Structures are given as C-alpha cells and as structure tokens.
Amino acid sequence: KQKQEELGENLTQEQQKAAVQECLKVHTAMVRKGVFGNTDNMTEEEEKFFSESLAVVKEFLDENKLSYRMTGNRSRYKVFSFEMQMPAANLHMKIAIGLDPRSCRVDAELPITADKSYEYLICRAICEENYMKRYGAFQYDETDGTLSYRYCFPITHGLYKDDLEKIFLSVAQAGELGHKTLKKHCVGKYKDDELESILEKLNVLVSEISDYTSA
C-alpha cells in the first residue's frame, strides 16, 4: 500500500512488475531477519495464551501416551506430529496451534498416495465423502498426491482438552473410514460395473467438451 501511494496511478505494466518485485525483496529480507513471527513481538497476553494452548495439547498427548515431535517455522505457529495406529490404517496425525488467527487444526494424513492419472475420479469421490461430514473435510494435495482429513476450529477464548479430544477422535475416525473408501480411487482399482459407469460418464464429458470446442 505504501508503494502504491508512493508511485501513484497510471503505471505501465513494467512499472507495476518492478514495484511488486521490489516489495517482495523487502518482505523476504524482513522474514529472514525474523521480523515476522518473532517471540519478541508477542504481547504478554499472547504469550500466555499461546503457552497455555500448547500445554493443553501436550497434556492430551501425554495422557494418551502418544509420542510426538513439535515443529514450527514461526514462533506463533507450532505443530505436533505423531503416528497413530487405528484398526484399519496407520495415520500420520498433526495438531497445529496458531495465533494468527487463534486456531487449532487437526489433520489425519492417509497412508496412501494418489496416482495423478485418477485425480478427477479422486476429487469426485472426495466430494461425495465430504457431503455428509459435519466436522472437517477430506483434502487432496495435487503436488504430492497425499490425501488427508482436516478440521480447523477457532480457539479465541482458549483451547479446552475435552473439545480437543472430541475433535481429534472425530478426525482420526473419519481418516480411517476415508482410507477404506478412497484408496481404490487412488490406484484405479474398480469393479467391472463401477468401471462401466465411470466410462459412461467420461464419454458424456468428452462429448460435451468436444461439442463446445467445435462450436
């Protein structure tokens, strides 16, 4: 905003591009110096809130004898990562606490990697799975083919262990059930009747696209 006010209006595309690059360089330099996300920038109230929230997560994990590691590239955002053996799947779980905004996120990463060839079918299956979900949703990361179930909730007034436990169990169970239903879509392992239905729908799509492009 400061750069925009400084340069005024009616800029050429080259001037706009140069201004954006300059702002990005300044921002990158500030991040490297630790200007953003530095503990020193926390207010006393923020530091107390953050430490209390982290303590709740630690207490919950310790009580359930879950071995974890805590990471975070910023002091205002910490992630607890650990493995959890469910009856039908071994899930990679994460509990993240953030200050901007004040939130807690629980992730259950599924032990499957999707073949990119089937991503349209995977995304359709995820939409069907998510339709009836009350807490959270399945996510597909096209960069590495991972699937996960995530739920993020505000903790503006603090994080409570009973709430965390309910959400955590809900996410873990959803991840386990999702592994059963989604894994076949990740490798294209369909029954004959399922494959026939898929091909019919794809043929309709191809026909519609072909009509549109030729119009």
Side-chain angles (χ1 to χ4, degrees), residues 64-154:
N64 288 277
K65 296 180 171 57
L66 292 167
S67 179
Y68 61 88
R69 64 188 184 92
M70 187 170 68
T71 58
N73 58 355
R74 302 195 306 269
S75 59
R76 301 168 72 88
Y77 186 81
K78 296 295 182 184
V79 181
F80 297 81
S81 304
F82 52 97
E83 302 298 319
M84 185 168 181
Q85 183 65 54
M86 300 290 285
N90 184 30
L91 303 173
H92 180 65
M93 303 294 298
K94 293 180 181 179
I95 300 177
I97 301 295
L99 269 182
D100 308 307
R102 296 185 178 188
S103 59
C104 176
R105 196 177 97 180
V106 182
D107 295 359
E109 188 175 304
L110 280 56
I112 46 177
T113 301
D115 186 328
K116 196 172 180 63
S117 304
Y118 304 106
E119 63 181 5
Y120 285 108
L121 298 174
I122 293 165
C123 292
R124 185 178 186 280
I126 286 176
C127 287
E128 292 178 352
E129 287 292 313
N130 285 341
Y131 184 74
M132 296 299 292
K133 292 289 185 287
R134 179 175 296 178
Y135 299 112
F138 283 102
Q139 309 285 332
Y140 165 62
D141 188 342
E142 62 180 346
T143 61
D144 58 9
T146 56
L147 276 72
S148 60
Y149 191 84
R150 301 178 184 177
Y151 182 67
C152 187
F153 59 100

Side-chain angles (χ1 to χ4, degrees), residues 2-126:
Q2 290 175 349
K3 195 66 176 176
Q4 187 177 21
E5 292 174 0
E6 177 186 326
L7 296 175
E9 300 178 356
N10 302 320
L11 297 177
T12 65
Q13 286 189 342
E14 287 299 320
Q15 288 174 319
Q16 292 176 15
K17 184 177 179 181
V20 169
Q21 289 176 341
E22 184 179 342
C23 290
L24 286 174
K25 286 180 181 178
V26 173
H27 178 78
T28 302
M30 293 174 74
V31 169
R32 286 175 178 170
K33 291 178 181 178
V35 174
F36 299 112
N38 195 311
T39 311
D40 295 337
N41 291 337
M42 278 191 195
T43 65
E44 185 177 336
E45 189 273 335
E46 285 178 326
E47 193 168 349
K48 181 175 181 291
F49 177 88
F50 197 48
S51 61
E52 287 177 350
S53 299
L54 295 178
V56 170
V57 179
K58 291 178 182 178
E59 183 180 352
F60 167 73
L61 295 175
D62 290 340
E63 284 183 357
N64 288 277
K65 296 180 171 57
L66 292 167
S67 179
Y68 61 88
R69 64 188 184 92
M70 187 170 68
T71 58
N73 58 355
R74 302 195 306 269
S75 59
R76 301 168 72 88
Y77 186 81
K78 296 295 182 184
V79 181
F80 297 81
S81 304
F82 52 97
E83 302 298 319
M84 185 168 181
Q85 183 65 54
M86 300 290 285
N90 184 30
L91 303 173
H92 180 65
M93 303 294 298
K94 293 180 181 179
I95 300 177
I97 301 295
L99 269 182
D100 308 307
R102 296 185 178 188
S103 59
C104 176
R105 196 177 97 180
V106 182
D107 295 359
E109 188 175 304
L110 280 56
I112 46 177
T113 301
D115 186 328
K116 196 172 180 63
S117 304
Y118 304 106
E119 63 181 5
Y120 285 108
L121 298 174
I122 293 165
C123 292
R124 185 178 186 280
I126 286 176

